[in-house]
Amino acid sequence: MRKLVAGNWKMFKGPAEARTLCSELADRVGADPAVGLAVCPPYVSLATALAALEGSAVDVFAQSVHWEASGAFTGEVSAEMLLEIGAAGCLVGHSERRQHFGETDETTGARAACALAVGLRVIACVGELEREREAGDTAAVLERQVHAIERAVPNSAQLVVAYEPVWAIGTGKTATADQAQEAHEVIKRILDVPVLYGGSVKPENAAELMAMPDVDGALVGGASLDVDSFVAIRDAAAAA
Ligand code: PEP
């Protein structure tokens, strides 16, 4: 299976910086389909990224989506709106959304269902907190989160799950390749979909993680903000 490497830019890179990064990325990876590639800019930079990446092998995803087509939901963006501008998909349920903006298993499922229904691709994020891992609850937490997604969405070829242990996001701590493999097995027992690993993925650790049989790619935060490191992670995925 072709691996997927997606870059979550979080709240970095407005349109001017997005144009520069995407133009460089398009020059570096062109239309090479060896690895699926996506970037997830902030909403205001989506149109710029789409224009700069047109004709390249890099898809553009949003970082979230609402579950209604329209309505009184200040600050939100609908799946239809993302489709209209040409976005290929969106993230849902990122741990920063869960931690800072009240995202739950249920809202994550609702957002995924709505996006898939209009034809967007979805990367649904799951992962345990440090204290949950220390308490030996990792599998139970993942099962709860993945079952919520499974209940909300039909079996879809457009769905990908990202396993992102919360203690490894933006901390420099990475799950070992064995920890990632074990978690991906738990997820795949419930949903037969590609599973990405996310959590401080860097050029230095990408090859080892990508070599695991159930690691189907990576969701990359910090290291996706730099073209050299993002392309190096993509190269590790291509070689795996
Ligand atoms: C992320 O934002 O999904 C992420 C994994 O971040 P980082 O790679 O910086 O840990």
Side-chain angles (χ1 to χ4, degrees), residues 20-69:
T20 306
L21 195 159
C22 289
S23 303
E24 209 183 317
L25 196 55
D27 286 347
R28 296 276 292 274
V29 301
D32 179 1
V35 172
L37 279 179
V39 293
C40 314
Y43 289 127
V44 292
S45 300
L46 286 171
T48 305
L50 281 159
L53 291 167
E54 204 180 340
S56 80
V58 187
D59 290 322
V60 178
F61 278 44
Q63 295 176 14
S64 186
V65 69
H66 197 259
W67 55 82
E68 294 288 347

Side-chain angles (χ1 to χ4, degrees), residues 8 10 94 96 164 168-170 198-201 219-222:
N8 173 22
K10 310 181 193 242
H94 191 279
E96 287 153 13
E164 299 207 302
I169 297 181
S200 298
V201 176
L219 181 55
V220 185

